[in-house]
Amino acid sequence: MYLWDIALRKGCIGYIKYVLKSSLMRLPIFGWAFHILEFIPVERKWEADESNMRRMLSTLNDPQDPLWLAIFPEGTDFTEQKCLRSQKYAAEHGLPILKNVLLPKTKGFCTCLQELRGSLNAVYDVTIGYKYRCPSFLDNVFGVDPSEVHIHICRFPIDCIPTSEDEISTWLMDRFRFKDKLLYNFQFEGQFPDQAKERDLPAMKGILNCVTVIILTGLCMYFTFSSVWFKLYVSVVIAYLVPATYFNIRPQPIFRVFKM
């Protein structure tokens, strides 16, 4: 949610795509939207994910098409239990013992860099701090928590990032060691170093966007219940999207065919 907020503030809301767990793609309506927006689903098992990930990344590597690809190398959300498991694994394999983040899984990140290196100009390391606790989804929906959201961003030009898989893995591990220290300090200081306040989004623009969404939703609902042809259209779309999201069917984009 907060990455979408950043993209909105920077005028790039239409460019952001996510690598996310495949079960979310099977959600009704939301999963269909993720499919249309070309999000990349993963099973979090590299043997099953590698070929599909490379195939989908190959459709996003046109330098003329703006892209923000959001990837979460931890592979899951942070909990105390998962942190203990991560620390145990790190101790057994001689890796850094992290207390505020989980160890990153490096293969997916390396693959993204290998496939998109020719079309990306930078990698952004984003660390989010919540004050005073990490919110749940419903906390965000109802505006209960967090009271403040702090975001720390480091920009790395693509030329400054190593090319070999081992060096990329080491680079990523170093970044997570930095994140761990950053969040540790945030707990005591309540902010990140050299922090500046982001401007507020225009209230009127937000209201107009909300009204537009409500009107369009209302029109779609009206035509769904009043027009036979619109019902047929909706039925055909759903009949396609249900198996397409479940089996991850990705037809070749029409415009890419014309370019070829």
Side-chain angles (χ1 to χ4, degrees):
M1 292 175 65
Y2 298 111
L3 293 180
W4 260 316
D5 185 86
I6 293 174
L8 178 63
R9 292 169 184 272
K10 305 307 176 184
C12 298
I13 191 69
Y15 305 151
I16 190 168
K17 303 181 189 300
Y18 289 83
V19 178
L20 75 174
K21 59 183 180 181
S22 59
S23 58
L24 295 176
M25 301 291 285
R26 301 187 180 103
L27 292 173
I29 302 177
F30 290 102
W32 305 343
F34 297 160
H35 184 84
I36 293 170
L37 294 171
E38 298 182 289
F39 289 6
I40 301 176
V42 292
E43 301 289 343
R44 295 184 290 190
K45 296 179 181 178
W46 188 240
E47 298 77 12
D49 291 329
E50 181 178 11
S51 59
N52 178 60
M53 197 171 185
R54 289 188 183 277
R55 177 175 60 84
M56 294 193 63
L57 287 170
S58 68
T59 67
L60 304 175
N61 60 6
D62 188 340
Q64 296 181 350
D65 294 333
L67 172 66
W68 280 24
L69 181 64
I71 181 170
F72 304 87
E74 309 97 307
T76 186
D77 56 333
F78 181 95
T79 66
E80 293 299 328
Q81 187 176 9
K82 291 175 183 176
C83 184
L84 290 174
R85 288 203 300 265
S86 178
Q87 290 173 346
K88 181 181 177 181
Y89 179 89
E92 292 172 350
H93 293 81
L95 297 172
I97 306 295
L98 307 177
K99 298 180 179 179
N100 301 288
V101 292
L102 304 178
L103 279 175
K105 297 177 174 65
T106 59
K107 287 188 179 295
F109 179 73
C110 291
T111 299
C112 289
L113 277 183
Q114 290 167 357
E115 295 292 330
L116 300 175
R117 186 174 286 272
S119 57
L120 295 180
N121 54 24
V123 170
Y124 292 83
D125 178 10
V126 180
T127 306
I128 302 179
Y130 304 102
K131 197 174 182 179
Y132 293 91
R133 67 180 182 88
C134 182
S136 68
F137 176 74
L138 291 180
D139 287 337
N140 282 302
V141 171
F142 293 108
V144 178
D145 271 312
S147 59
E148 294 178 11
V149 178
H150 297 249
I151 301 178
H152 184 277
I153 302 176
C154 290
R155 183 183 188 275
F156 297 91
I158 198 69
D159 294 338
C160 297
I161 300 177
T163 55
S164 73
E165 186 169 339
D166 288 341
E167 290 177 328
I168 293 174
S169 298
T170 301
W171 182 88
L172 183 62
M173 199 66 69
D174 288 341
R175 292 312 307 166
F176 269 74
R177 189 186 286 111
F178 176 80
K179 282 176 179 289
D180 189 60
K181 183 178 179 181
L182 202 62
L183 288 170
Y184 176 80
N185 293 334
F186 177 82
Q187 293 173 4
F188 293 97
E189 298 175 8
Q191 65 177 27
F192 292 124
D194 302 321
Q195 185 166 296
K197 187 175 180 180
E198 181 70 16
R199 63 178 176 81
D200 292 331
L201 291 172
M204 185 55 66
K205 185 178 180 179
I207 293 172
L208 289 175
N209 286 339
C210 182
V211 170
T212 301
V213 170
I214 292 173
I215 291 174
L216 290 176
T217 303
L219 287 173
C220 286
M221 294 294 293
Y222 171 77
F223 285 118
T224 298
F225 289 103
S226 64
S227 170
V228 174
W229 291 108
F230 198 80
K231 287 180 182 179
L232 179 62
Y233 168 73
V234 171
S235 300
V236 170
V237 169
I238 293 175
Y240 166 74
L241 286 174
V242 169
T245 51
Y246 188 84
F247 296 107
N248 194 29
I249 301 171
R250 303 275 177 163
Q252 183 79 1
I254 295 175
F255 293 110
R256 183 173 286 267
V257 173
F258 288 146
K259 287 180 182 179
M260 296 172 61

